[in-house]
Amino acid sequence: MSASELAAAVAEALAVDAESFHASAREEAERLKEEVRSGTFDNTEAIVGMELELYAVDDQTDALRRVPRQLLELVGFEKELGLHNAEMQTSPQPLNEHGLATQRAELKASLLPAERRLGNEGIRLVADGMWTVPPNGETAGDYLSDSVEHDGIRLATNMSDSVRYHTMANTDYPARFELDAPHVLMEADTVMPESLITSIQPHYQIPHAPDLPEYFSYALRIAGPVLALGVNSPFFPPDLYDDAPDAEIVEDARMENRVGVFESVLNPPEDDPTPPKVCFPPDFETVEDAIDDIVADDTIVPMDLQSGTRFDDDFVHVRHKHGSYWRWVRPVFEGPTRSAANARIEFRPLPAQPTVDDAVAFEALFAGLMESLPRLEHPVQSMDWATAEENFYAATRDGLRADIEWITVDGATTTSTDELYGELFELAREGLEASGLSTEEAHEYIRPLRERVDRRLTPARWKHDYVRRRVEENVPLAQAIWGMQSAYIRHQTETLLDGSFADWFE
């Protein structure tokens, strides 16, 4: 799509009658509630799925690389925000021994030929929480902020030609479009700084849709502990830091900057009365409350939508609102056919992980907990919402070293890391076994995460330790971060498809 065509498409999107869009969404929401109450969105069993995001680098220099769109389509990946991004989704599978095995095999089956094809072009795909080496000959700041104005429309130079992404920079919604982290402050004219980050997103389809609020409340209360296990983005590209001493930047680093990047780029300024869109979500009393919250959320880019041939095109405006309902845990209602209609929970805070087996470990952990916690009526559901929220943001700051509060199965409150994760892993194992996995299979899926707790070592801490040691040896911060990134990519090359992060420190 040429710049003039893209600008024209953005201008057309901006001309959509927002009130008409919202009226349609409200009307559809009432029909959606009726379908949910009638059982249309129920499943005979739990279903799992996964989204996996990656970024591309030069296989000789580790510098960020733009991926030609035609090449991305050729290897079967979807475009994401930046020209360097790629995304894949697994097909939904029943939560049982065969379903999880299929999830793992599908990820590996897609990545292997993609790696080979892109490798012929000197490109490597990296699973990581945040890239730190900008494209050759550019700074990260320039790459993220570069934009042009065409026919009065602001277009990001290095963004995919998605009308929705570009329209965000041209609406009245007061997004900050900036990075705000310890020793980092950068402003832009578009949402492009969000393309620093990549994620995995496990999905869990609820067997009985009206029960979603109960499952959702448990998902919020495990969000902090699960995120603490997965932190993987402690450092920004070096040119984005201010001139503070290197040791101070290292000391003040958060273990998971992805959460802060998403929030600071897309939320309004703190002094703006507009509610934040990227945030820790509320509890819901009923499934209707969840639908109402999605519909009431600000839609940055209303679209002129027509019903198609999918079943859920009867709710096409609600589906569109899902796309910018940026909560860290998100309820979704959709399905291409009536028989495939589902209510699911998307667990969104996790950064991309070092290997496929690590990503699948989180999928298994999340699904196992969603199976066991409601069945046991675990008392952690009684935890105050504010405590669950504080646990979540404590995890972004300190990872496994965070002071996270947990309520045990016997109702006791603890902040012991060993006690918390000992119970969490056992609950996940019980949930997986109840879904048909053997004890050995359940242990094997969870093992990479248990190793992290035993060694108190997450990907973020591995990165931080590397950079800290180098800075203590008087290596300049930029060189230390890029050396860490090179080591990360080298280890991942050896283990992405046939290993786990635990192999990096054995």
Side-chain angles (χ1 to χ4, degrees):
M1 187 182 299
S2 68
S4 59
E5 291 172 330
L6 182 57
V10 170
E12 184 178 351
L14 291 169
V16 169
D17 182 352
E19 184 49 45
S20 175
F21 173 89
H22 292 124
S24 295
R26 290 191 292 270
E27 180 182 343
E28 291 172 2
E30 295 308 310
R31 297 202 301 272
L32 175 57
K33 292 175 189 176
E34 292 175 5
E35 293 283 5
V36 168
R37 285 191 290 265
S38 70
T40 303
F41 285 79
D42 292 352
N43 292 288
T44 57
E45 58 189 334
I47 307 290
V48 293
M50 168 84 77
E51 295 180 26
L52 174 66
E53 298 171 355
L54 308 104
Y55 61 79
V57 300
D58 183 279
D59 66 0
Q60 297 298 312
T61 66
D62 301 330
L64 201 69
R65 279 281 298 269
R66 300 166 178 87
V67 183
R69 304 294 87 181
Q70 184 177 7
L71 182 58
L72 193 63
E73 294 173 3
L74 184 64
V75 298
F77 281 70
E78 300 175 21
K79 60 187 178 183
E80 241 288 336
L81 181 63
L83 293 178
H84 57 276
N85 290 128
E87 178 184 304
M88 67 170 295
Q89 300 185 23
T90 61
S91 55
Q93 298 290 333
L95 176 57
N96 56 41
E97 65 272 32
H98 303 298
L100 279 174
T102 300
Q103 293 279 298
R104 174 191 277 164
E106 187 175 350
L107 288 169
K108 294 183 179 183
S110 297
L111 281 168
L112 182 59
E115 280 191 323
R116 290 172 176 170
R117 181 65 183 85
L118 291 171
N120 293 335
E121 307 296 326
I123 298 172
R124 184 181 305 282
L125 290 175
V126 179
D128 192 4
M130 180 184 294
W131 56 266
T132 59
V133 186
N136 287 321
E138 302 177 64
T139 66
D142 288 343
Y143 180 81
L144 294 170
S145 62
D146 193 17
S147 67
V148 297
E149 188 173 306
H150 195 97
D151 295 335
I153 301 296
R154 177 63 56 181
L155 303 174
T157 306
N158 297 303
M159 189 184 293
S160 298
D161 60 355
S162 167
V163 173
R164 181 170 71 97
Y165 293 146
H166 288 277
T167 305
M168 290 179 192
N170 294 278
T171 68
D172 294 330
Y173 183 80
R176 290 164 63 186
F177 297 156
E178 68 178 30
L179 299 174
D180 187 1
H183 305 290
V184 174
L185 183 60
M186 176 201 142
E187 297 180 352
D189 295 320
T190 73
V191 300
M192 187 62 190
E194 190 201 335
S195 72
L196 268 171
I197 55 178
T198 48
S199 70
I200 60 168
Q201 295 180 22
H203 299 171
Y204 178 87
Q205 294 184 18
I206 307 300
H208 184 50
D211 294 336
L212 183 141
E214 180 183 12
Y215 286 83
F216 198 82
S217 67
Y218 281 116
L220 297 188
R221 283 150 184 82
I222 64 171
V226 174
L227 175 59
L229 277 170
V231 291
N232 193 20
S233 56
F235 293 109
F236 288 84
D239 69 87
L240 297 181
Y241 286 111
D242 60 23
D243 58 358
D246 291 354
E248 184 177 335
I249 291 173
V250 173
E251 176 67 24
D252 294 340
R254 297 169 181 163
M255 289 297 101
E256 188 49 62
N257 280 298
R258 177 178 167 268
V259 168
V261 166
F262 206 167
E263 292 187 350
S264 66
V265 171
L266 290 168
N267 281 340
E270 291 184 2
D271 59 357
D272 192 286
T274 307
K277 288 177 64 65
V278 188
C279 59
F280 197 71
D283 285 315
F284 300 117
E285 290 291 329
T286 67
V287 69
E288 289 87 356
D289 290 341
I291 295 171
D292 287 339
D293 200 58
I294 293 166
V295 173
D297 185 57
D298 286 324
T299 302
I300 296 180
V301 186
M303 300 289 283
D304 185 11
L305 302 170
Q306 302 298 321
S307 183
T309 59
R310 289 172 56 110
F311 163 72
D312 54 16
D313 281 340
D314 285 345
F315 323 107
V316 66
H317 295 83
V318 176
R319 284 179 59 211
H320 181 74
K321 291 182 73 71
H322 275 134
S324 63
Y325 183 77
W326 292 314
R327 305 309 191 265
W328 289 116
V329 184
R330 179 166 75 180
V332 176
F333 304 86
E334 64 179 19
T337 64
R338 177 175 288 272
S339 62
N342 66 88
R344 69 174 182 264
I345 294 175
E346 295 183 353
F347 194 75
R348 296 166 49 81
L350 288 170
Q353 295 298 304
T355 75
V356 168
D357 281 357
D358 287 292
V360 175
F362 277 105
E363 182 179 30
L365 176 70
F366 181 61
L369 291 171
M370 288 296 92
E371 284 290 299
S372 64
L373 292 169
R375 178 172 51 83
L376 295 172
E377 298 183 353
H378 194 284
V380 77
Q381 189 180 29
S382 66
M383 177 184 287
D384 288 344
W385 177 90
T387 301
E389 182 191 37
E390 174 52 33
N391 284 343
F392 180 78
Y393 288 103
T396 69
R397 294 188 296 269
D398 298 316
L400 282 178
R401 296 183 184 179
D403 187 16
I404 292 177
E405 186 174 308
W406 180 254
I407 299 176
T408 65
V409 70
D410 60 5
T413 299
T414 183
T415 57
S416 164
T417 299
D418 289 325
E419 191 172 6
L420 188 168
Y421 288 104
E423 179 166 299
L424 210 67
F425 293 142
E426 283 305 297
L427 289 167
R429 178 190 58 77
E430 290 175 9
L432 293 174
E433 288 187 30
S435 301
L437 278 74
S438 68
T439 300
E440 183 180 353
E441 287 169 333
H443 276 303
E444 186 60 25
Y445 277 111
I446 297 170
R447 182 189 64 80
L449 305 183
R450 192 185 295 271
E451 290 271 5
R452 296 185 185 192
V453 175
D454 290 345
R455 297 173 183 259
R456 298 296 197 270
L457 191 60
T458 60
R461 185 60 63 183
W462 181 91
K463 291 177 175 179
H464 191 268
D465 286 349
Y466 185 106
V467 173
R468 176 184 51 78
R469 288 193 300 268
R470 299 293 283 158
V471 168
E472 289 174 351
E473 295 167 357
N474 295 318
V475 174
L477 180 65
Q479 186 176 335
I481 290 176
W482 289 341
M484 172 275 294
Q485 195 69 67
S486 177
Y488 181 97
I489 293 172
R490 184 175 65 253
H491 280 295
Q492 185 172 96
T493 300
E494 299 169 354
T495 56
L496 178 63
L497 301 180
D498 296 301
S500 75
F501 174 64
D503 298 327
W504 295 19
F505 45 86
E506 286 182 352

